[in-house]
Amino acid sequence: MKKTGAEIFVECLKKEGVKHIFGYPGGVVLNIFDALFDDKDLKLILTRHEQGAVHAADGYARASGKVGVALVTSGPGATNTVTGIATASMDSIPLVVFSGQVPTLLIGNDAFQEADIVGITRPCTKYNYLVKDVNDLARVVKEAFHIASTGRPGPVLIDLPKDVTSGITDFVWPEHVKIRSYNPTYEGNKWMIKHAAHEIAKAKKPVIMAGGGVILSGASKELKELAELTKIPVTMTLMGLGGFPGTHTLSLGMLGMHGTYYSNMAVQDADLLIGIGVRFDDRVTGKVATFASHAKIIHIDIDPTSIRKNIRVDIPIVGDVKTVLKDMLKVLKEETKEPWDAVRKSWLKQISSWKQERPLRYTYNENVIKPQFVVEKLYEITKGDAIITTEVGQNQMWAAQFYKYDKPRTFLSSGGLGTMGYGFPAAIGAQLACPDKTVIDIAGDGSIQMNIQELATAVIDKLPVKVAILNNQYLGMVRQWQELFFKERYSYSHLDVVPDFVKVAEAYGAAGLRATKPSEVEPVIKEALKIKNKPVFMDFIVDWKEKVYPMVPAGASINEMLFEEEKKTEKRLKAVK
Amino acid sequence: MRHTISVLVENKFGVLSRVSGLFSGRGFNIESLSVGETIDPAVSLMTIVTSGDDQIIEQITKQLNKLIDVIKVVDFMEVDHVEREMVLIKVAPRKEDRIEVLKLAEIFRGRIIDSGSTAYTIETTGDEGKINAFIELIKPFGIKEFVRTGKVAIAREKVKKK
């Protein structure tokens, strides 16, 4: 049957099982929007900015494990997606972003609302397409979903010229994808896995370092089994939070720049580090030369380029984390008969003494709200059963430290790109993917203003997303660096005018609540959780002087941490240098 | 260390830009690059000369392999191969030097492919060392300009020992 490109687009998305698209209309995508108008199965969530649309699709993908889909117009619509696409690319999130394009005959003419979005997004997509012929459309969509969701996932962009969506052809859905030059490796090398298993058996002080790859690969169960079988403590990268239960006795929480004392000490003292689905980002390693310098390193990742990119690796295993861990567990069970409890006793004792020595802490104050207190209360009141999204900066780090994530896909944060303005639209996407879950964006007063317009989206779709604004009137992390490393010269980090977030929320038809004293925190959270039919802003006026600790200064080794209790940080800083 | 890397890619628009963008985006260095169709018109071959330590070269080959349109990557450092480059040199010698220039061209198996009233264009091929030497020798006679193609390389066939 003959169909237009726009109708084929709709059919393709249905074949891919898409239910929600996040988007914004414009001139050259009107054909598609028209085709969506009467459709009962595909719902378009109209955001208020294209960046919001892509972040929402990203939050949807992270919360559900499905491919997130966004649809925008050409030119400015397309360029507004770039931050969202780059965010997804850095964190390996599967997205398919459709952008409209001017008619093929006008391409290159600097036509109205023309931008070379394929050129612009080339370095921040896993792959991208310009469809020049309506006959290619179905195949391209099929390929795009395949590329986005397999191997190391990532965003794919499809640029659709207006005449392609109005063009007419037979709709033929390709059942299989065949790309000769794209064959991700899923099975790990058997010999290497065996080798790794025997190293695990030999190790006296092993640490597992779990990253986003564990979550993307759905390997939480296997990871837990590995840790429990071999009694190895697990530290997580920011992206790995939730990949291993945060409340587990073997959990060390997060490592790196704002990681826990015991994570960083364990990694630095370890004789074997097992990196699983990680890429050894600089925020994790600190000074590369001294990172885990006593350890042999096993590195499991599906992307060969991650291996030996930043750090030396002794046993590289390229493959899907879940598949590799399954194989590794098999070898461990069949070939190693270590009395694990006895073998690990002294190492776990050392770890627990580190845990007691310097737990994550802050100083409670009954007159002023400490931001960590808000996060702790959120954890307590939701009983850890919520999806938390974050913005970027101090709010993100406190959310990573003081909320414990027991399940994968419950902590959504822009880890790689560090995108302010990510958390709120991502929460909207997560709420659509998981309508029965409590979704909370832990935000700062700076970040929330970067996509605050999405309040309208959440109001219209009656999404009960909660936003906990840790309002300190500052770009807090910038301020923290200025205090510690720039002689307290707060250059442009004070926001001076911060809007009344309660009124802003109300102006949009959302609910607004405020807490200015610690005693008001709990009632505000409880009140917010009762609201089920609209978004809520919780404005927590917090101590602006509060800093994120522990902190590893840039360029230092990760065991050279600054702590809250050491007021004279300067002295220590000198020692570090 | 310099490496000659050959990259077999899908012959589609935008592929060159994906490859060159990879080098510029990641701070890798391209010393020369040449592209052409292969026996299969759907496939192109790029020959890239680059340099870096082992870790950088490993990243370059892995990153190239990761590009969806790249079919195969061969680092000729690990393969017995022959490589050639072509240069066109426009030289304008004084009248009394012309014979000398022509002799030099002959020694380097160069050919005169164009001649005007005051200048010749000489074509020669060879490995990089030969091309460099030829340019150096011709230089004193007055090079107006020259163009190099960049290197191409191909693996050697195995010779069976009797």
Side-chain angles (χ1 to χ4, degrees), chain A residues 118 122 125-130 132 147 152 179-182 303-310, chain B residues 10 12-15 17-18 21 26 40 42-43 55 58-59 62-63 65-71:
Chain A
V118 171
R122 210 168 270 142
T125 48
K126 184 170 173 187
Y127 197 61
N128 60 15
Y129 294 88
L130 168 63
K132 284 182 160 174
I147 290 172
R152 178 177 175 178
I179 309 169
R180 62 175 158 182
S181 51
Y182 176 69
D303 180 358
T305 70
S306 289
I307 287 166
R308 275 199 287 269
K309 183 171 66 182
N310 301 331
Chain B
E10 296 288 349
K12 291 186 202 162
F13 68 88
V15 175
S17 140
R18 285 182 206 277
R26 293 194 178 266
D40 174 358
V43 173
Q55 195 219 352
E58 181 183 329
Q59 269 299 309
K62 281 175 168 181
Q63 294 283 357
N65 265 312
K66 189 173 156 182
L67 290 179
I68 307 273
D69 289 322
V70 169
I71 301 164

Side-chain angles (χ1 to χ4, degrees), chain A residues 274-442:
Chain A
I274 309 152
I276 307 179
V278 293
R279 60 185 176 84
F280 294 100
D281 173 85
D282 56 278
R283 283 296 191 265
V284 156
T285 60
K287 189 175 175 185
V288 173
T290 53
F291 176 77
S293 51
H294 306 301
K296 275 199 177 172
I297 296 179
I298 299 171
H299 189 179
I300 307 167
D301 201 88
I302 197 161
D303 180 358
T305 70
S306 289
I307 287 166
R308 275 199 287 269
K309 183 171 66 182
N310 301 331
I311 58 148
R312 73 197 157 80
V313 174
D314 300 289
I315 307 173
I317 303 173
V318 175
D320 168 53
V321 166
K322 192 183 178 87
T323 315
V324 170
L325 288 187
K326 272 188 178 162
D327 289 348
M328 192 179 279
L329 280 164
K330 200 159 165 252
V331 178
L332 280 165
K333 283 177 191 162
E334 283 169 6
E335 298 184 16
T336 62
K337 297 275 176 277
E338 313 297 310
W340 298 107
D341 281 307
V343 174
R344 295 282 178 260
K345 206 173 165 196
S346 71
W347 177 231
L348 292 177
K349 206 174 140 204
Q350 170 68 66
I351 301 248
S352 81
S353 83
W354 279 325
K355 280 187 176 178
Q356 277 157 22
E357 197 181 329
R358 287 186 192 273
L360 278 176
R361 64 183 293 272
Y362 65 95
T363 312
Y364 177 78
N365 184 314
E366 59 186 24
N367 299 312
V368 54
I369 303 175
K370 294 288 181 176
Q372 301 95 325
F373 176 69
V374 176
V375 179
E376 256 183 8
K377 279 286 162 201
L378 285 168
Y379 176 65
E380 210 179 287
I381 296 167
T382 59
K383 301 186 180 72
D385 187 26
I387 295 176
I388 302 293
T389 72
T390 78
E391 304 292 338
V392 166
Q394 290 184 319
N395 59 76
Q396 180 183 32
M397 292 299 112
W398 286 320
Q401 292 177 333
F402 290 92
Y403 202 102
K404 305 281 172 261
Y405 305 91
D406 277 342
K407 289 190 194 123
R409 304 194 179 280
T410 55
F411 177 72
L412 321 182
S413 188
S414 169
L417 197 66
T419 309
M420 289 172 71
Y422 169 79
F424 185 37
I428 289 174
Q431 186 77 78
L432 269 154
C434 309
D436 302 325
K437 280 277 215 176
T438 301
V439 181
I440 306 172
D441 172 29
I442 296 182

